């Protein structure tokens, strides 16, 4: 590593002079220009003379390895863009990526953007029902998938009349493909050297990320190409990715971290990044770092807690001296985890806070800034963040008082709407502030301290799961009369789903039934959404207007004060 000096100036200095113009100037972008994320992450990096630099080092679960340079990536993303155009996909249509973390997922993302369509990445772990809800909502026209996930798509196809193209990236011709299905083999595809990239402008829609809320179906958070201005700059200043860094973002691109920083932020900075398409195991993660000499590592508290559980000794078995900067996102990063990382790796994890809706890191610990373990750090320069009163949405002046985290609208990567749901989007703004739905306080030195979410959304291992989706799935089971899903404490995942269920007459509260219901949800939605525990109850606490009071169940589970229950209809 040549230069260890952080890109960002000392915080107090940077905050005085920062403007998004720095990002625009570095990217050679002027207001009104064409701006296409696909182009910025590939062609532009090649024009800067880095065509032969490695863009992606990929490793599969069998140990197979693939490497692609920026020039490979430029050509292959062109191939995908051309292929989609020839299929008849038009700019603005939604193209879903439903794949494991294979190279096609990463290049597919940029290929879709290059031809002007909107890219909709979804976790390959989703079951047919989770997939259906999101494809129906977005009116998706094409989906990239792998053989192993194809049955899930076939299963729901009859309910998706607009889904005309199912593109299988690893078809081997053994079983015939069906109507609407087509094979595309990226590594064997004709390399397209020059493609007429769609001339998107700042406000052209780019990425549609589905995120869970408390009520209603998951919402499609709509981003635009201009988000690049924030993502490029935050990747540079917060993740501090240097030219000779080997970067590893452990997030799946089904989650915003995997696209904002696992694709856009990293590659617009011309970084070499590694992807490990395999499940979590401490030893294989350490081996991966050692083998590829990873220097910048962006991960999540759940993973860090799982590594901690396996002990410092496990970490010490490997040569992890290449690591020079660590960051984390997704859930509160406990002070113990920060201190442990210093013990295990000699450096501390830097907590970063943001959301699907913000598109980029908004509060963070910066390289070089004093870390207060347990704190999320300070607002990114150029983004005005505060905490506001829970009732009036007026900024709280007094230090240490808990309020809702609020951001002044206008940062480049803010979502522009929720797909077909402008009303919910508008409801996020009060008194001129965008409200995050998280509570925090700010201390005397301006550091943010996370308190908790302001709604019932369950954060399991950094993934947000909406209780509504789980409850809806539960209700489809023939034995379930009513249900309530909440998060219960868990040492590794912070929260896991617990469901409270009342049964229909004629059904008995048995262990067998509990397991059957759990499996029912896993198959429909995903393993993450599956309740880890089911408690059969005779009644659920409800408000007088009949709304299930998850808050009461949650408080019991966490051993907290229940608070005001004057609206409670029945006794527990
Ligand atoms: C990037 C991402 C957003 C929600 C957010 C909050 C929680 C994220 C956090 C954190 C405490 C942190 N969250 N980072 N909580 N400390 N550093 O996670 O996006 O999936 O939309 O989740 O995650 O509750 O509101 P998303």
């Amino acid at each position: 590593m040549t230069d260890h000096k952080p890109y960002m100036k000392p915080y107090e200095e940077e905050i005085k002079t920062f403007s998004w113009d720095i990002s625009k100037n570095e990217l050679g972008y002027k207001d009104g220009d064409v701006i296409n994320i696909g182009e910025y992450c590939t062609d532009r990096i090649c024009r800067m003379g880095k065509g032969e630099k490695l863009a992606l080092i990929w490793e599969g679960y069998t140990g197979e390895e693939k490497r692609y340079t920026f020039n490979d990536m430029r050509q292959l993303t062109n191939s995908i863009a051309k292929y989609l155009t020839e299929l008849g996909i038009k700019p603005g249509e939604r193209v879903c990526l439903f794949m494991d973390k294979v190279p096609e997922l990463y290049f597919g993302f940029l290929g879709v953007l290059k031809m002007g369509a909107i890219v909709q990445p979804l976790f390959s772990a989703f079951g047919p029902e989770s997939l259906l809800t999101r494809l129906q909502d977005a009116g998706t026209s094409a989906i990239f998938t792998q053989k192993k996930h194809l049955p899930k798509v076939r299963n729901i196809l009859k309910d998706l009349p607009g889904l005309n193209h199912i593109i299988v990236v690893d078809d081997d011709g053994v079983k015939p493909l069906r109507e609407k299905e087509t094979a595309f083999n990226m590594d064997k595809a004709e390399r397209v050297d020059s493609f007429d990239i769609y001339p998107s402008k700042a406000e052209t829609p780019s990425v549609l990320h589905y995120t869970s809320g408390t009520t209603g179906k998951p919402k499609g958070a709509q981003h635009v190409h201009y988000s690049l201005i924030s993502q490029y700059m935050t990747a540079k200043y917060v993740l501090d990715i240097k030219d000779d860094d080997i970067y590893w973002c452990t997030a799946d691109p089904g989650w915003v971290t995997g696209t904002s920083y696992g694709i856009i932020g990293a590659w617009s900075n011309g970084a070499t990044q590694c992807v490990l398409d395999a499940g979590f195991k401490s030893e294989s993660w350490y081996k991966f770092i050692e083998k590829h000499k990873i220097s910048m590592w962006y991960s999540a508290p759940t993973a860090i807690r799982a590594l901690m559980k396996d002990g410092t000794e496990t970490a010490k078995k490997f040569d992890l001296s290449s690591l020079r900067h660590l960051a984390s996102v997704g859930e509160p990063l406990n002070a113990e985890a920060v201190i442990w990382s210093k013990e295990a790796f000699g450096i501390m994890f830097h907590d970063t806070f943001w959301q699907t809706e913000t598109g980029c890191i908004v509060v963070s610990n910066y390289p070089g800034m004093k870390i207060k373990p347990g704190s999320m750090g300070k607002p990114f320069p150029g983004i005005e963040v505060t905490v506001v009163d829970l009732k009036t949405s007026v900024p709280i002046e007094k230090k240490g008082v808990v309020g809702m985290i609020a951001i002044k609208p206008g940062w480049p990567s803010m979502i522009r709407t929720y797909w077909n749901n402008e009303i919910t989007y508008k409801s996020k703004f009060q008194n001129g502030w965008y409200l995050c739905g998280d509570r925090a306080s700010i201390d005397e030195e301006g550091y943010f301290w996370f308190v908790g979410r302001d709604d019932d959304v369950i954060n399991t291992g950094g993934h947000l799961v909406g209780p509504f989706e789980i409850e809806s799935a539960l209700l489809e089971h023939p034995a379930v009369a009513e249900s309530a899903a909440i998060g219960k404490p868990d040492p590794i995942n912070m929260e896991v789903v617990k469901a409270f269920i009342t049964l229909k007459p004629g059904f008995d509260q048995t262990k067998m039934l509990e397991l059957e219901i759990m499996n029912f949800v896993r198959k429909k939605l995903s393993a993450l959404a599956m309740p880890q525990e089911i408690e059969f109850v005779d009644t659920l606490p409800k408000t007088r207007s009949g709304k299930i009071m998850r808050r009461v169940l949650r408080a019991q589970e966490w051993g907290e004060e229940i608070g005001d229950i004057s609206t409670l209809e029945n006794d527990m």
Side-chain angles (χ1 to χ4, degrees), residues 51-102:
E52 294 316 309
K53 182 178 172 179
L54 277 178
L56 175 64
I57 303 171
W58 175 88
E59 213 178 285
Y61 62 95
T62 55
E64 183 194 359
E65 196 183 294
K66 291 183 180 180
R67 288 169 181 250
Y68 301 88
T69 63
F70 275 95
N71 195 44
D72 294 331
M73 183 159 82
R74 181 184 70 79
Q75 292 179 330
L76 293 171
T77 51
N78 281 347
S79 307
I80 293 168
K82 181 165 175 260
Y83 178 74
L84 288 170
T85 308
E86 286 171 359
L87 277 186
I89 306 292
K90 299 276 177 297
E93 286 187 37
R94 275 74 57 212
V95 177
C96 173
L97 306 173
F98 186 57
M99 291 180 273
D100 296 349
K101 291 192 273 178
V102 289

Side-chain angles (χ1 to χ4, degrees), residues 280 282 285-286 297 299-312 328-338 340-341 345 349 351 450 459-463 488-496 558:
F280 174 84
S282 301
W285 273 35
Y286 291 142
W297 183 19
S299 199
T302 303
I304 302 164
R305 285 191 296 264
L307 295 171
M308 263 172 91
K309 200 170 140 233
D310 282 341
T312 315
S328 159
V329 65
E331 315 151 64
L333 182 66
N334 338 42
E336 303 91 273
V338 176
W340 175 79
S341 64
F345 313 120
F349 266 100
D351 194 11
F450 186 80
N459 188 332
T460 177
H463 295 283
K488 73 164 210 167
D490 181 84
I492 300 287
N493 288 304
M494 186 170 89
E495 290 185 280
V496 290
W558 291 73

Side-chain angles (χ1 to χ4, degrees), residues 230-291:
S230 294
Q231 290 152 344
Y232 164 80
M233 208 66 230
T234 47
K236 180 163 177 176
Y237 277 14
V238 183
L239 305 181
D240 198 40
I241 310 176
K242 304 259 162 61
D243 199 32
D244 55 356
D245 267 318
I246 306 286
Y247 169 63
W248 184 26
C249 170
T250 58
D252 186 304
W255 178 32
V256 69
T257 305
T259 59
S260 287
Y261 297 103
I263 299 181
I264 309 173
W267 282 330
S268 61
N269 275 284
T272 297
Q273 63 167 330
C274 297
V275 168
L276 177 61
D277 180 22
F280 174 84
K281 222 176 133 229
S282 301
E283 303 227 342
S284 31
W285 273 35
Y286 291 142
K287 212 162 112 196
F288 191 66
I289 295 172
E290 182 181 66
K291 179 172 169 195

Side-chain angles (χ1 to χ4, degrees), residues 147-292:
K147 259 185 335 215
K148 64 174 173 190
H149 302 301
L150 191 55
K152 293 193 264 188
V153 182
R154 286 180 173 168
N155 201 305
I156 55 174
L157 195 58
K158 60 174 187 327
D159 296 320
L160 295 163
L163 186 66
N164 289 321
H165 305 282
I166 299 152
I167 305 155
V168 186
V169 298
D170 58 352
D171 181 52
D172 49 15
V174 174
K175 287 192 187 147
L177 292 179
R178 300 182 186 171
E179 200 194 334
K180 296 191 177 181
E181 295 173 355
T182 133
F184 175 80
N185 185 320
M186 183 179 84
D187 288 326
K188 291 190 188 139
E190 176 209 349
R191 292 209 170 206
V192 175
D193 200 55
S194 139
F195 176 80
D196 224 351
I197 296 171
Y198 183 73
S200 41
K201 291 291 188 73
E203 294 303 308
T204 306
S206 55
V207 187
L208 189 60
H209 261 300
Y210 275 76
T211 177
S212 299
T214 316
T215 53
K217 291 182 178 169
K219 307 177 293 282
Q222 178 66 75
H223 288 277
V224 294
H225 281 267
Y226 192 62
S227 71
L228 173 72
I229 307 298
S230 294
Q231 290 152 344
Y232 164 80
M233 208 66 230
T234 47
K236 180 163 177 176
Y237 277 14
V238 183
L239 305 181
D240 198 40
I241 310 176
K242 304 259 162 61
D243 199 32
D244 55 356
D245 267 318
I246 306 286
Y247 169 63
W248 184 26
C249 170
T250 58
D252 186 304
W255 178 32
V256 69
T257 305
T259 59
S260 287
Y261 297 103
I263 299 181
I264 309 173
W267 282 330
S268 61
N269 275 284
T272 297
Q273 63 167 330
C274 297
V275 168
L276 177 61
D277 180 22
F280 174 84
K281 222 176 133 229
S282 301
E283 303 227 342
S284 31
W285 273 35
Y286 291 142
K287 212 162 112 196
F288 191 66
I289 295 172
E290 182 181 66
K291 179 172 169 195
H292 300 292

Side-chain angles (χ1 to χ4, degrees), residues 126-160:
F126 277 154
E129 193 140 322
S130 295
L131 183 62
L132 177 65
T133 319
R134 291 157 176 84
L135 296 177
Q136 265 176 340
D137 188 66
T140 308
S141 350
I143 182 167
F144 280 90
T145 194
Q146 293 165 279
K147 259 185 335 215
K148 64 174 173 190
H149 302 301
L150 191 55
K152 293 193 264 188
V153 182
R154 286 180 173 168
N155 201 305
I156 55 174
L157 195 58
K158 60 174 187 327
D159 296 320
L160 295 163

